[in-house]
C-alpha cells in the first residue's frame, strides 16, 4: 500500500469515527431517562473527541479515491481497534467524574473504580465491540445505568459490525463468507456493498431485538434488564447487567427463553434475510444452518450426559417447569439438560451468558467439551465467533475428498459439492487452503494466549481453566472459568486484548495490518 | 466377491504374511538369550512357531503377490503389516505371563496390555504398561525382545522388507512412501531397494557405534551400570527414537557421562537420514543448506535454553537449583528426548516446575525430521506451514500475485502444501478428540487432570512415550481402562503411519469403484 493507500485508510477511519461519535451522544439520552445527569459531560467529551479526530482525518484526506477490497482489511482491523480505544473513554471519564465528585456524582464504588485504570477500560471496551463479554466489572448491578447501557450498546453495534465485516468486507473466495448479493461479491468497490448490507440487515436486527425484549419480558425479566440482555444476546456478546449473569434469576423460563435468542444470533443473517423474504425452504437448505442444528444438538446431548454422569446436579431439590414438578432422578436429568443446553448454546453461539459455576463445579472433561464449542463457533455471517462452521465443513469435506482421491490420476476431472455450489478441484483446493490457514492460525494463537496465561496467572488455575478462558477470549464468547477480572496480571490482560481483536477479525486482517505497521505497506518481495 | 472389490486384498495379506514369517529371524536373538540365561524359552519358542505358521499360512493366499501389488494393495499391506506384527509380537509377553511361575504377576499376560506394549515398541513410542520393570518378573530374553521391537520398527519394517526381499524391488517405492515419516521419500539411489539398504546400513552403523561407545565407558569404569546387556538394550532403543529401557528408572540409572553421550545419538536419530548419506559421500554443502536441519537444531537449542533457565532458577530443588551442569544436562537430555520423540528420561521430570513441564508438552508437537526415525508432526511440515503463512499475508493484500513456496532452491508443489495442511489439521483434530475421549473415560479411582490426559494422547499419537503426572516417565499407562488403552494403540498406529494410509482404508472409494 502506497501513501495514497494510507490516505484512503486515514480518510475511512475518520468517517468511521464520525459515525461512532453518534453512539456516546445518543447515550446521553439514557443518562437523562435515568436521571444520571452527572454522566452527561463525560459522554459529551467522549463524543466530541472522536468527532474532532474523525473530522480532521476525513477533511485532511477528503480528495482521495474510493477504497478497494484490499484496503478493507486494514481499515477493518485498525478501525475496530481505534473504536475500542475511543469506546474506553466513557468508562474512564465517568470513573474520573465519580472519583472527583463533579456534577453531583455519587461516590465511587469499587466496581467503577476499576475503570480508573485505562487498561481495564480498554479491555471492557474491546470486549464489548468484539462481542466477547469477558469483563472487568465485578458487580454489574453497581454500575451506573449509563455504563450498563453503554456495555450493551457496544456489543449490539459490534454485532452489526461483524455481520458487515464477514458479508461485505472479508467476502472473498474461500473466506467462507456468504454474500447478500452475488454481484457485490465481485465488485471492487467496497462502500456500495457495505451500505446495502447495512440497509438490509439493520431492520432484521431491530426486529429481532424487539422480539427478544418481548420474549424475555414475558419470561419474567424486568424491562430494563430484558432490553439489555436482548441486545447482548442477539449480538451474541454476553455482557449482563446483573451481578451473576443469567444465574441471578435462577429461572427455568428465562434460561429457555434465551436459548432461541442466542440461536437467532448464531444463524447467518443472509439466511434470516431469505427466510423473512418468504424463502423459508432456501433458508433451511443452508449448509451452516443444518450444521448448527446437528452441532448444537450433539454438543448438548454429550454435555447433558457428562453432567449427569459427574453428578454435578445430583443433589438438587424438586424443580418445576411448565407446571410439572420433578424430583429425584427426574430433577437431576432435567437440571443437567437445562444447564447443558444453555451453556453449550451460549458457548457455541459465542454469546457467553453464564448460568453455571463452570470453573469450580464442572469437571475437566466438561471444560474441554464446552471449549470445543467455543473454538468451533457457529455460522459465518452471523454475530458468532470461533472458527465457524462453514470452515469446519470445508475442511472435513475437503479432507475426505482428498483421501478418497488418492488413487485418481492427477489429470482426472472431479467436482465437489459444498452447500449448493459445485466446485472444481482447483476451487476446492483454494477454499480448503484458506480454511486450513485460518484454522491453523487459530490454534497457533490459542497456544500463544495459553502460554502467556500459564506463565502469568496464579498457579491454582489448571490447564483446563486456562484453555477454557483463552478459547472463550479468542472465540469472542465471554464465558469465564474465573480467571478474568480486574486483578488479572497486566500481561494477561494485554494478550487477551490481542486475542479478542484477532478473533473478531479472523486473524488475517490483523496480521496484514501489523505487518504493514512493521515493514511498511509497500509491495515487497519477502 | 473379488470381482466387485477394487483391491486385491489377498496379495496384500499374502505379503503381510511374508513379513510375519520373516519376523521369526529377529526373534532368534531373544531365543539365543533365553538359552544363554536359561530363562524365557517358554515365552519365545512358541511365539516363533506361531509366527512362522501364521505367516506361512497367510502367504498361501496368493501365488504371486508382488506382481499384483498396486497402489491400493500397497496401502493395505503397510497398514496391515504394522497391525499384525504387533499382534504376533505380543505373543511372547502373553506366553511368559501364562506359562511361567515367575511371570505370573506380569501385567503383560493380559492381551490388551501385551498388544499395547508391542505396538508401543514397533511404533517406537516407548509408552509402557509393564507394571514391574525388573528381571524378577520378566526374563532377560523377553526384555531384550521388547528393546528389539523398537529397533525393528525404527527404520521401518517395510523399508527393511524392501531392502532384503528381491521381489519388492519394483513396487517398493510406493510401500516405503506409505510408511516413511514425513511427506514423501527422498530416493538416495536410482534403485529403491538400494535406497532401503543404504538407510538400514547407516542405521545399523550408528547403532553399533553407540553400543561400542556405551560399553567402552563401562570398560573404562565410567559407567558401572552399563553392562554389555544394557549397552545393547539401549543401543536398540536410541537410534529408532524408541525410549524403552530395561531399567525402571530409564537413563536416570546411569552416570552423567552416559547421559551426555546418549544426547547426540538421539539428535542424530531425529535427523533426516538422507543427510548422513550426503555426509558419507562428502557432500557437506547439502547439510549446511538444509533448512529443516537448521530449524531442527534451532528448535532444540531454544527449548533447551528456556528449560535450563527454568530449572536453574526454580527455587527449592536441591539437585537443579543454581547447579549449572545438572540443569543444563537434564534440560538438554529431556528436550532432545521429547523433540526427537525418543522418550528416555534422565530424571523424573514430573518433579519439575509446572512451567518446565508445559515446555515439554509443547515440544511434543514439533516432532523429528522427515526421513528420520522420529514421530510427531515433523519439522519440515512446520517449516512449510510458516512459509505459506508468510505468503498468505502477502497474497491477502495482492491476490493477483503468484508466489511459489521454496525450500532452499526447490519449489514445493501446491498440492503437497495442501497435503501438509490436511495432515497437520487431522493430527490436531485427532489429538483434540482423543484427549476429550480419554478425559471423559477417565481413570478408575483416580482424578485425571486435563494436563495428564493431554500429555498421554500427545505422547502416544506423536510416538513420544511418557507424559506427565500419572503417565510420567517413572510411571506407566497401566491405570487406564481397557477402552482407553485400545484407543491409544490406535493412536500409536496412525501416528506412526502418519494417518493417511489408515484413513484411506476407511473410505468407500478405496474398496469399490
Amino acid at each position: 500500500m502506497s501513501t495514497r493507500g494510507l490516505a484512503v485508510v486515514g480518510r475511512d477511519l475518520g468517517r468511521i469515527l464520525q459515525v461512532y461519535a453518534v453512539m456516546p451522544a445518543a447515550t446521553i439520552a439514557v443518562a437523562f431517562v435515568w436521571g444520571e445527569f452527572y454522566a452527561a459531560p463525560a459522554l459529551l467529551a467522549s463524543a466530541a473527541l472522536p468527532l474532532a479526530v474523525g473530522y480532521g482525518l476525513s477533511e485532511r484526506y477528503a480528495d482521495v479515491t474510493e477504497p478497494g477490497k484490499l484496503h478493507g482489511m486494514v481499515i477493518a482491523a485498525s478501525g475496530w481497534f481505534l473504536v475500542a480505544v475511543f469506546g474506553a473513554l466513557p468508562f474512564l471519564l465517568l470513573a474520573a467524574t465519580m472519583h472527583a465528585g463533579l456534577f453531583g456524582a455519587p461516590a465511587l464504588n469499587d466496581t467503577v473504580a476499576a475503570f480508573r485504570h485505562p487498561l481495564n477500560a480498554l479491555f471492557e471496551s474491546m470486549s464489548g465491540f468484539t462481542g466477547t463479554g469477558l469483563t472487568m466489572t465485578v458487580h454489574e448491578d453497581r454500575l451506573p445505568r449509563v455504563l450498563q447501557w453503554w456495555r450493551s450498546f457496544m456489543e449490539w453495534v459490534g454485532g452489526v459490525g461483524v455481520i458487515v465485516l464477514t458479508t461485505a468486507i472479508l467476502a472473498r473466495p474461500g473466506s467462507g463468507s456468504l454474500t447478500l448479493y452475488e454481484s457485490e461479491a465481485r465488485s471492487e468497490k467496497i462502500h456500495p456493498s457495505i451500505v446495502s448490507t447495512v440497509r438490509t440487515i439493520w431492520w432484521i436486527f431491530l426486529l429481532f431485538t424487539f422480539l427478544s425484549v418481548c420474549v424475555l419480558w414475558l419470561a419474567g425479566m424486568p424491562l430494563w434488564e430484558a432490553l439489555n440482555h436482548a441486545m447482548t444476546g442477539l449480538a451474541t456478546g454476553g455482557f449482563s447487567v446483573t451481578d451473576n449473569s443469567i444465574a441471578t434469576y435462577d429461572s427455568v423460563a428465562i434460561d429457555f427463553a434465551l436459548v432461541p435468542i442466542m440461536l437467532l444470533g448464531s444463524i447467518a443473517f443472509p439466511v434470516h434475510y431469505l427466510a423473512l423474504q418468504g424463502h423459508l425452504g432456501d433458508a433451511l437448505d443452508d449448509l451452516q444452518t443444518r450444521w448448527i442444528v446437528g452441532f448444537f444438538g450433539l454438543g448438548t446431548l454429550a454435555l447433558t450426559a457428562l453432567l449427569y454422569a459427574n453428578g454435578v446436579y445430583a443433589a438438587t431439590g424438586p424443580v418445576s417447569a411448565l407446571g410439572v414438578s420433578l424430583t429425584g432422578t427426574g430433577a437431576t436429568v432435567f437440571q443437567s439438560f437445562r444447564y447443558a443446553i444453555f451453556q453449550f448454546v451460549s458457548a457455541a453461539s459465542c454469546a457467553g451468558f453464564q448460568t453455571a459455576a463452570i470453573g469450580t463445579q464442572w469437571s475437566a472433561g466438561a471444560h474441554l467439551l464446552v471449549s470445543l464449542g467455543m473454538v468451533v463457533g457457529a455460522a459465518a455471517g452471523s454475530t458468532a465467533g470461533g472458527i465457524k462452521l462453514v470452515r469446519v465443513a470445508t475442511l472435513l469435506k475437503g479432507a475426505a475428498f482428498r483421501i478418497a482421491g488418492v488413487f485418481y490420476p492427477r489429470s482426472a476431472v472431479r467436482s465437489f459439492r459444498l452447500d449448493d455450489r459445485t466446485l472444481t478441484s482447483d476451487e476446492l483446493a483454494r477454499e480448503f487452503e484458506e480454511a486450513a490457514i485460518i484454522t491453523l492460525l487459530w490454534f497457533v494463537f490459542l497456544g500463544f494466549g495459553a502460554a502467556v496465561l500459564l506463565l502469568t496467572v496464579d498457579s491454582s488455575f489448571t490447564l483446563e481453566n486456562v484453555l477454557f478462558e483463552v478459547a472463550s477470549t479468542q472465540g469472542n464468547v465471554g464465558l469465564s472459568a474465573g480467571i478474568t477480572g480486574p486483578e488479572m496480571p497486566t500481561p494477561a490482560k494485554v494478550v487477551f486484548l490481542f486475542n479478542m481483536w484477532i478473533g473478531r477479525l479472523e486473524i488475517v486482517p490483523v496480521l496484514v495490518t501489523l505487518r504493514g505497521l512493521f515493514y511498511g505497506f509497500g509491495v515487497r518481495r519477502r | 466377491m473379488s470381482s466387485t472389490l477394487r483391491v486385491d486384498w489377498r496379495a496384500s495379506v499374502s505379503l503381510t504374511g511374508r513379513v510375519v514369517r520373516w519376523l521369526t529371524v529377529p526373534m532368534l536373538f531373544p531365543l539365543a538369550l533365553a538359552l544363554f540365561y536359561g530363562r524365557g524359552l517358554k515365552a519365545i519358542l512358541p511365539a516363533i512357531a506361531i509366527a512362522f505358521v501364521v505367516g506361512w499360512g497367510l502367504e498361501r493366499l496368493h501365488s504371486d503377490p508382488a506382481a499384483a501389488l498396486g497402489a491400493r494393495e500397497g496401502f493395505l499391506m503397510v497398514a496391515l503389516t504394522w497391525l499384525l506384527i504387533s499382534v504376533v509380537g505380543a505373543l511372547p509377553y502373553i506366553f511368559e505371563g501364562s506359562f511361567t511361575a515367575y511371570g505370573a504377576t506380569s501385567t503383560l499376560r493380559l492381551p490388551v496390555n501385551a498388544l499395547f506394549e508391542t505396538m508401543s515398541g514397533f511404533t517406537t513410542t516407548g509408552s509402557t504398561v509393564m507394571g514391574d520393570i525388573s528381571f524378577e518378573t520378566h526374563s532377560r530374553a523377553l526384555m531384550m525382545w521388547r528393546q528389539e521391537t523398537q529397533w525393528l520398527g525404527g527404520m521401518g519394517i517395510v523399508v527393511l522388507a524392501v531392502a532384503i526381499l528381491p521381489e519388492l524391488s519394483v513396487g517398493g517405492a510406493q510401500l516405503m512412501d506409505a510408511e516413511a515419516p514425513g511427506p514423501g521419500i527422498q530416493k538416495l539411489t536410482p534403485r529403491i531397494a538400494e535406497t532401503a539398504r543404504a538407510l538400514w546400513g547407516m542405521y545399523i552403523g550408528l547403532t553399533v557405534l553407540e553400543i561400542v561407545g556405551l560399553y567402552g565407558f563401562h570398560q573404562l569404569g565410567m559407567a558401572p551400570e552399563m553392562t554389555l546387556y544394557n549397552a545393547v538394550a539401549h543401543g536398540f532403543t536410541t537410534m529408532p527414537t524408541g525410549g524403552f529401557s530395561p531399567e525402571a528408572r530409564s537413563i536416570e540409572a546411569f552416570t552423567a557421562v552416559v547421559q551426555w553421550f546418549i544426547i547426540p545419538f538421539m539428535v542424530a536419530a531425529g535427523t533426516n537420514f538422507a543427510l548422513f548419506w550426503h555426509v558419507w559421500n562428502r557432500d557437506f554443502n547439502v547439510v549446511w543448506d538444509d533448512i529443516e536441519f537448521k530449524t531442527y537444531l534451532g528448535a532444540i537449542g531454544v527449548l533447551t535454553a528456556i528449560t535450563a533457565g527454568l530449572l536453574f532458577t526454580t527455587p527449592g530443588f536441591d539437585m537443579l537449583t543454581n547447579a549449572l551442569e545438572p540443569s543444563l544436562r537434564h534440560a538438554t537430555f529431556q528436550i532432545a528426548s521429547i523433540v526427537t520423540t525418543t522418550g528416555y528420561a534422565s530424571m523424573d521430570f514430573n518433579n519439575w516446575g509446572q512451567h518446565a513441564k508445559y515446555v515439554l508438552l509443547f515440544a511434543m508437537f514439533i516432532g523429528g525430521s522427515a526421513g528420520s526415525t522420529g514421530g510427531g508432526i515433523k519439522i519440515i511440515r512446520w517449516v512449510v506451514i510458516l512459509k505459506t503463512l508468510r505468503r498468505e499475508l502477502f497474497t491477502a493484500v495482492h491476490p493477483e500475485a503468484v508466489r511459489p513456496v521454496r525450500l532452499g532452491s526447490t519449489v514445493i508443489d501446491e498440492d503437497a502444501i495442501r497435503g501438509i495442511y490436511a495432515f497437520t489439521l487431522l493430527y490436531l483434530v485427532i489429538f483434540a478428540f482423543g484427549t476429550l475421549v480419554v478425559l471423559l473415560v477417565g481413570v478408575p479411582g483416580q482424578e485425571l487432570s486435563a494436563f495428564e490426559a493431554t500429555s498421554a494422547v500427545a505422547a502416544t499419537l506423536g510416538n513420544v512415550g511418557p507424559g506427565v503426572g500419572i503417565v510420567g516417565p517413572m510411571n506407566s499407562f497401566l491405570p487406564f481402562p481397557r477402552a482407553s488403552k485400545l484407543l491409544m494403540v490406535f493412536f500409536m498406529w496412525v501416528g506412526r503411519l502418519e494417518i493417511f494410509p489408515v484413513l484411506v482404508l476407511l473410505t468407500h472409494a478405496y474398496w469399490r469403484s
Side-chain angles (χ1 to χ4, degrees), chain B residues 34-98:
Chain B
L35 291 170
F36 179 78
Y37 289 109
R39 213 178 179 201
L41 205 58
K42 283 182 187 167
I44 308 291
L45 206 52
I48 292 182
I50 291 178
F52 190 87
V53 172
V54 168
W56 183 82
L58 293 180
E59 267 188 280
R60 301 297 108 189
L61 279 172
H62 202 287
S63 52
D64 187 11
L69 195 68
R72 286 164 195 273
E73 288 74 21
F75 273 99
L76 186 60
M77 182 258 175
V78 170
L80 271 185
T81 298
W82 283 81
L83 206 54
L84 203 60
I85 58 167
S86 296
V87 172
V88 172
L91 294 176
Y93 300 114
I94 301 173
F95 292 155
E96 186 161 274
S98 312

Side-chain angles (χ1 to χ4, degrees), chain A residues 243-441:
Chain A
D243 198 4
N244 285 313
S245 190
I246 305 304
T248 311
Y249 303 106
D250 194 19
S251 150
V252 177
I254 287 178
D255 282 10
F256 281 103
L258 270 168
V259 168
I261 295 174
M262 296 189 282
L263 273 175
L264 278 183
S266 46
I267 292 172
F269 273 71
V271 172
H272 285 316
Y273 179 71
L274 275 179
L276 291 172
Q277 296 272 313
H279 309 291
L280 202 61
D282 291 347
L284 291 176
D285 267 350
D286 178 57
L287 170 104
Q288 293 199 98
T289 313
R290 279 183 283 129
W291 277 55
I292 285 177
V293 176
F295 180 58
F296 284 26
L298 281 179
T300 303
L301 277 183
L303 194 57
T304 308
L306 189 60
L307 292 179
Y308 181 74
N310 290 343
V312 181
Y313 298 103
T316 47
V319 193
S320 56
L322 296 172
V324 183
S325 189
L326 295 162
T327 52
T329 313
T332 311
V333 171
F334 177 76
Q335 287 291 74
S336 302
F337 174 71
R338 171 188 162 194
Y339 286 102
I341 193 171
F342 189 89
Q343 290 298 227
F344 195 83
V345 169
S346 171
S349 70
C350 304
F353 285 133
Q354 203 152 352
T355 52
I358 296 173
T360 49
Q361 284 186 359
W362 286 19
S363 67
H367 268 90
L368 293 194
L369 193 60
V370 176
S371 304
L372 179 76
M374 300 196 286
V375 170
V376 172
S382 74
T383 60
I387 292 172
K388 311 228 164 62
L389 284 171
V390 68
R391 289 209 182 85
V392 176
T394 309
L395 286 179
L396 289 180
K397 293 191 167 190
F401 187 74
R402 191 182 169 79
I403 290 168
V406 167
F407 301 105
Y408 284 93
R410 279 278 179 92
S411 53
V413 177
R414 303 164 67 211
S415 66
F416 173 83
R417 289 183 59 77
L418 184 74
D419 211 353
D420 51 357
R421 299 180 300 155
T422 305
L423 304 178
T424 64
S425 291
D426 268 0
E427 286 167 333
L428 171 67
R430 220 172 53 227
E431 303 228 342
F432 179 81
E433 199 170 319
E434 291 271 358
I437 284 176
I438 304 267
T439 309
L440 209 68
L441 278 172

Side-chain angles (χ1 to χ4, degrees), chain A residues 14-153:
Chain A
R15 287 185 181 178
I16 290 174
L17 285 181
Q18 279 173 288
V19 174
Y20 158 77
V22 175
M23 285 180 65
T27 305
I28 296 177
V30 177
F32 278 87
V33 168
W34 287 103
E36 292 173 340
F37 300 107
Y38 62 89
L43 290 172
L44 214 53
S46 307
L49 198 60
L51 192 66
V53 174
Y55 183 76
L57 276 174
S58 54
E59 282 302 298
R60 168 84 177 73
Y61 301 116
D63 48 355
V64 293
T65 49
E66 290 294 290
K69 288 219 157 184
L70 308 179
H71 302 115
M73 281 196 194
V74 178
I75 294 169
S78 48
W80 226 283
F81 194 82
L82 210 58
V83 165
V85 168
F86 281 102
L89 282 180
F91 294 103
L92 205 58
L93 295 178
L94 207 59
T97 308
M98 288 167 78
H99 179 65
L102 297 172
F103 316 116
L108 190 67
N109 61 42
D110 281 352
T111 297
V112 183
F115 294 120
R116 291 191 60 214
H117 196 296
L119 188 61
N120 290 349
L122 179 61
F123 188 99
E124 197 79 359
S125 167
M126 182 63 97
S127 176
F129 279 110
T130 58
T132 306
L134 286 169
T135 183
M136 289 290 137
T137 312
V138 183
H139 301 291
E140 281 85 350
D141 52 350
R142 293 189 203 160
L143 286 176
R145 303 275 185 176
V146 169
L147 285 187
Q148 291 184 346
W149 162 264
W150 180 241
R151 292 164 84 237
S152 306
F153 197 31

Side-chain angles (χ1 to χ4, degrees), chain A residues 173-191:
Chain A
S175 68
S177 305
L178 294 153
T179 42
L180 280 175
Y181 309 106
E182 200 51 41
S183 60
E184 271 151 25
R186 295 198 207 94
S187 79
E188 279 302 305
K189 293 278 182 266
I190 192 167
H191 282 164

